[in-house]
Amino acid sequence: MVKNKLIELIDCFSNQLEATSEQLTDKYQTLLDDSWRDMHKKAIAEYLSTATLPSSNITIVPPELTTFEKLKKAVKKYYDLL
């Protein structure tokens, strides 16, 4: 039950990040100076470099891996907008 709730929360966060990435980055450009944005972007880059996606030879992908793949894509889009 806890695992399912966590997957649901990660999915919800991914959806929100996907939907609001442009607004968030616009706000960051307005509110934060370049050094803070650079630190933020560096932290995201570290996450992206360690987040792994399932191998393409896996035929049945568990739902939690699909959720994390979706999260990585949303974070990558956000990172690119920064």
Side-chain angles (χ1 to χ4, degrees):
M1 188 164 120
V2 172
K3 176 183 150 187
N4 291 337
K5 191 62 173 173
L6 183 60
I7 291 170
E8 183 182 323
L9 290 171
I10 292 169
D11 189 55
C12 182
F13 175 76
S14 298
N15 291 339
Q16 288 296 316
L17 183 60
E18 179 76 28
T20 62
S21 288
E22 290 182 34
Q23 293 92 341
L24 283 171
T25 56
D26 288 346
K27 283 289 184 191
Y28 282 147
Q29 289 174 358
T30 303
L31 299 174
L32 300 176
D33 63 24
D34 290 344
S35 64
W36 282 99
R37 261 196 337 271
D38 291 344
M39 288 189 318
H40 182 58
K41 197 168 181 176
K42 181 181 176 186
I44 294 169
E46 288 174 12
Y47 162 76
L48 289 171
S49 71
T50 60
T52 58
L53 296 178
S55 172
S56 60
N57 62 358
I58 296 176
T59 54
I60 300 173
V61 178
E64 60 269 17
L65 292 181
T66 304
T67 299
F68 285 109
E69 181 177 340
K70 182 178 174 182
L71 174 62
K72 184 174 181 181
K73 287 179 183 177
V75 171
K76 176 72 170 109
K77 175 186 173 188
Y78 171 70
Y79 176 84
D80 291 341
L81 289 170
L82 283 172

